[in-house]
Amino acid sequence: MGMILGVLAVLLVSGLIASGIMYSRQQALAHREQRIRALRQKFEELQALYDIIFNADSKPDISIVLNQGLVEIARDIRALDRANAEVQTLLNNLTARGTALKEGRLLPKGEHVMNSEAALSTLLSSYAAILQRLQRFKVRGTIAPHQYEEFSLYLRQMTLTTELDSHMATAEAQLKDNDRLRAINHLKHCRELLKKTNLEIENKNERIKDISDRIKLAESAVETESNSSTVSTAPPPSAQTGNAS
């Protein structure tokens, strides 16, 4: 009887140990999957920022840093999911892209001019998000503090250039369509941007004067059209005389 009880006790303990091991493995697997999902989401967010700066910027410096951040995330995912061949392929592609950017074989597009207020607002917000991500890189030691300061100034300049060029392009298009009143508003916005900025802008005063001249010319054209419209709608002198009599 004692032997039977002993065997049962051993079996019970063994079952508990096996259950504990299985539970620990399940917990570890769940934690691993959760970690992979978090890394993939982080990757997608950073990839979106990379796409934006690569399309808008004309220099590769920030794209190189963001791409390196993507490489590091891909390495973390590979460490957790070594059996996934797609992750290794992704890592290889990112590494090759980083090399192409550094060697000048892959050049950013520099397409920063937006044709709508919504698109412009989204792009400017993205610049701010990129700066925040670069700040995290500085805290982690991925980039040096002086590099962060350089990127910060560069993104401020990009923000101003993007806003100026977008509004100027819109104004030019509206002037061609004789939509002068709306064009004047965009030109005035550009002039105010230049007047208020504390960034160093090449030929700043000349640019302000040029925009002011464009505004005066457009306002003169609007006034001329308004006067012409008033004259064309006024009754002829004969009609006025007849009414008086």
Side-chain angles (χ1 to χ4, degrees), residues 132-187:
Q132 289 179 349
R133 189 58 62 98
L134 292 172
Q135 187 176 33
R136 294 182 200 173
F137 289 166
K138 181 193 71 171
V139 172
R140 288 163 44 191
T142 304
I143 60 175
H146 75 273
Q147 286 179 297
Y148 170 77
E149 295 301 328
E150 291 172 1
F151 287 143
S152 177
L153 176 58
Y154 183 71
L155 283 169
R156 286 179 61 203
Q157 292 171 332
M158 270 196 71
T159 297
L160 178 62
T161 299
T162 296
E163 195 167 2
L164 279 172
D165 291 352
S166 296
H167 280 283
M168 286 298 296
T170 300
E172 291 292 341
Q174 290 171 342
L175 287 173
K176 289 181 180 178
D177 293 336
N178 293 323
D179 190 357
R180 294 186 178 87
L181 289 176
R182 292 173 64 189
I184 289 170
N185 289 334
H186 285 285
L187 291 170

Side-chain angles (χ1 to χ4, degrees), residues 32 38 51-52 56 85 97 106 111 119 128 135 141 149 152 162 166 176 187 191 203 222:
R32 171 176 166 273
D51 291 339
I52 288 169
R97 186 168 73 179
L106 179 62
E111 299 172 354
Q135 187 176 33
E149 295 301 328
S152 177
T162 296
S166 296
K176 289 181 180 178
L187 291 170
R191 185 172 62 183
N203 301 322
V222 170

Side-chain angles (χ1 to χ4, degrees), residues 62-128:
I62 295 179
S63 294
I64 290 172
V65 172
L66 296 188
N67 188 77
Q68 184 57 38
L70 290 168
V71 168
E72 293 174 3
I73 297 174
R75 285 174 178 165
D76 290 340
I77 296 174
R78 184 189 61 177
L80 295 170
D81 195 11
R82 292 189 177 278
N84 192 335
E86 292 182 359
V87 177
Q88 184 60 52
T89 300
L90 174 64
L91 180 57
N92 293 341
N93 291 339
L94 290 170
T95 302
R97 186 168 73 179
T99 301
L101 284 167
K102 293 176 182 177
E103 294 178 352
R105 292 183 287 106
L106 179 62
L107 300 175
K109 298 179 180 179
E111 299 172 354
H112 65 279
V113 176
M114 299 292 104
N115 56 11
S116 72
E117 290 287 347
L120 176 59
S121 178
T122 298
L123 181 55
L124 297 183
S125 297
S126 297
Y127 289 163

